[in-house]
Amino acid sequence: MTREFYEAEPSPRTSWRLAVLMGANSRTYKFALASALLEFAAEGRAEVTVDELAVPYAMSLVARQQGAPQAPFGSLAGDKDFLAVARQEAAESLRSGLPTERLLDATRRSMPTMVMRRFHNLGASEVAHRFYESVGPPRSGTVRLTPHLHRIAGSEQAAGLRGELNARWDIVESSFAAGIGRSLVDHGVAVDWATLRLTDKHRRRPVTGVADALTGFQHGRCLICRSPLTDTDRIAVDHVFPYSLMRRFGTVSGWHGPDLDVIWNLAPAHEHCNGAKSARLPTSGELWRLARRNEAILLSPPPAEEDPATRPQGSGVPRPQRRMAGLPAPGAGRL
């Protein structure tokens, strides 16, 4: 699916989305690195030292760790594990606004040899565009920011890319907090229409915004008109199959079709496009785009690994077939 997703719109932005939205997630390191890369690229930096990159990387993990886990429970490898060090140094780092020397040293040791080596990887392949190159010794060298990174950081969708990054980070954190993703992966999320946020149904807590969570899988475009969704646009969340169908055909014996009020049928769109569409049925083009969008979400790696103890023995179900975030399995007629 990653090949099809890229070929639908081959560009550095799509490669970035593949790395952020569709790469595997055993920890949240890649989100911290992506955030730091966007920050320096937005400043116009052509290169940064490992020490410079380590500061926003470490601080974002420290800040995030205060509210949610950055790895599955029980996965830390003792007190020398980087996340254990980050937790121990969090209070002092947040107080001063900079990582402590111990945390900075731990970041120098772990970041270049772990996440920086894997950021561009997609299993057996790599994304088509590289966003940085390491030069010199891993712990004390420099990191060259490529033109591809500068291009996306300066694009009209830059704010949206950061929103997508933070939304995916939120979802992965919630997956870890829910116990290796059982709540989000197996049972999905609800949509709070008052706030347009996804809510973890197991714990009844807000996870992230609907539009930010879904836009990247639509290549940052309105599902209706296909034009880019930018930070200056007013965005709505469209029911692709209009919600009125449930009222219209459920009045006598009740609605027996799929729930139209959940993620598989929701698509970020320009507010004016959504208003003009109103309650009409989707066009064939909109249906095709919705199907491709949903396939991209379904076949991307789950936010967290499944707990082997919860999988039925001998199930043999491959990872890409598992349900994620309230979407039906490929070809299924219900959630």
Side-chain angles (χ1 to χ4, degrees):
M1 183 62 211
T2 56
R3 179 177 60 83
E4 289 84 352
F5 184 77
Y6 177 77
E7 289 177 349
E9 189 169 313
S11 70
R13 270 199 301 259
T14 300
S15 290
W16 178 268
R17 287 180 167 121
L18 281 170
V20 171
L21 301 178
M22 302 181 78
N25 302 295
S26 59
R27 295 190 172 202
T28 62
Y29 293 161
K30 73 175 179 185
F31 305 121
L33 178 60
S35 179
L37 290 169
L38 285 177
E39 179 180 323
F40 283 114
E43 295 173 0
R45 296 285 297 273
E47 65 179 36
V48 296
T49 66
V50 170
D51 273 5
E52 286 178 306
L53 190 61
V55 172
Y57 172 86
M59 291 303 294
S60 62
L61 284 166
V62 162
R64 282 273 186 165
Q65 204 166 225
Q66 300 305 293
Q70 302 304 302
F73 288 120
S75 67
L76 300 191
D79 287 343
K80 292 186 178 180
D81 188 291
F82 174 74
L83 288 178
V85 174
R87 183 179 300 127
Q88 294 159 10
E89 300 298 311
E92 180 59 33
S93 297
L94 291 172
R95 189 162 38 247
S96 68
L98 290 170
T100 65
E101 189 54 44
R102 179 175 177 239
L103 177 55
L104 189 60
D105 182 62
T107 309
R108 289 190 199 102
R109 285 185 281 107
S110 70
M111 183 181 70
T113 57
M114 293 178 64
V115 65
M116 290 189 69
R117 287 188 178 179
R118 301 173 183 173
F119 184 82
H120 298 101
N121 291 350
L122 288 173
S125 62
E126 279 199 350
V127 294
H129 301 84
R130 294 189 67 84
F131 300 105
Y132 58 85
E133 299 288 348
S134 298
V135 181
R139 298 183 187 179
S140 59
T142 59
V143 180
R144 290 179 182 164
L145 309 184
T146 68
H148 298 311
L149 179 63
H150 285 100
R151 179 177 169 186
I152 66 168
S155 73
E156 78 281 3
Q157 290 189 15
L161 291 172
R162 185 168 285 279
E164 294 165 22
L165 162 64
N166 288 329
R168 186 67 172 179
W169 199 339
D170 289 337
I171 290 170
V172 171
E173 285 176 343
S174 291
S175 143
F176 292 156
I180 322 300
R182 284 194 296 273
S183 173
L184 290 176
V185 175
D186 292 338
H187 304 299
V189 291
V191 177
D192 181 345
W193 281 97
T195 62
L196 281 182
R197 293 185 69 82
L198 301 181
T199 302
D200 177 349
K201 292 199 295 187
H202 179 68
R203 292 178 298 151
R204 297 295 191 271
R205 64 177 293 276
V207 175
T208 191
V210 174
D212 284 336
L214 299 179
T215 300
F217 291 103
Q218 297 176 192
H219 294 280
R221 295 180 178 274
C222 171
L223 191 87
I224 299 170
C225 76
R226 289 294 293 149
S227 296
L229 298 168
T230 71
D231 59 339
T232 60
D233 292 324
R234 294 178 66 88
I235 308 301
V237 176
D238 177 52
H239 284 84
V240 183
F241 285 91
Y243 185 75
S244 60
L245 288 175
M246 292 176 66
R247 295 196 302 269
R248 187 185 313 161
F249 296 105
T251 54
V252 178
S253 59
W255 172 253
H256 299 294
D259 189 350
L260 302 182
D261 216 8
V262 290
I263 288 175
W264 75 269
N265 188 46
L266 304 179
H270 293 112
E271 189 177 78
H272 61 86
C273 292
N274 181 57
K277 175 176 177 285
S278 187
R280 70 162 170 79
L281 291 172
T283 65
S284 59
E286 290 162 1
L287 286 177
W288 183 84
R289 291 192 288 274
L290 178 69
R292 292 299 297 270
R293 194 282 307 268
N294 286 345
E295 284 180 2
I297 298 175
L298 280 165
L299 299 179
S300 65
E305 290 297 330
E306 188 177 41
D307 184 348
T310 68
R311 177 184 290 181
Q313 289 188 351
S315 66
V317 178
R319 284 182 55 198
Q321 297 290 334
R322 287 180 287 170
R323 195 178 307 169
M324 172 184 167
L327 286 161
R334 62 177 180 83
L335 294 179

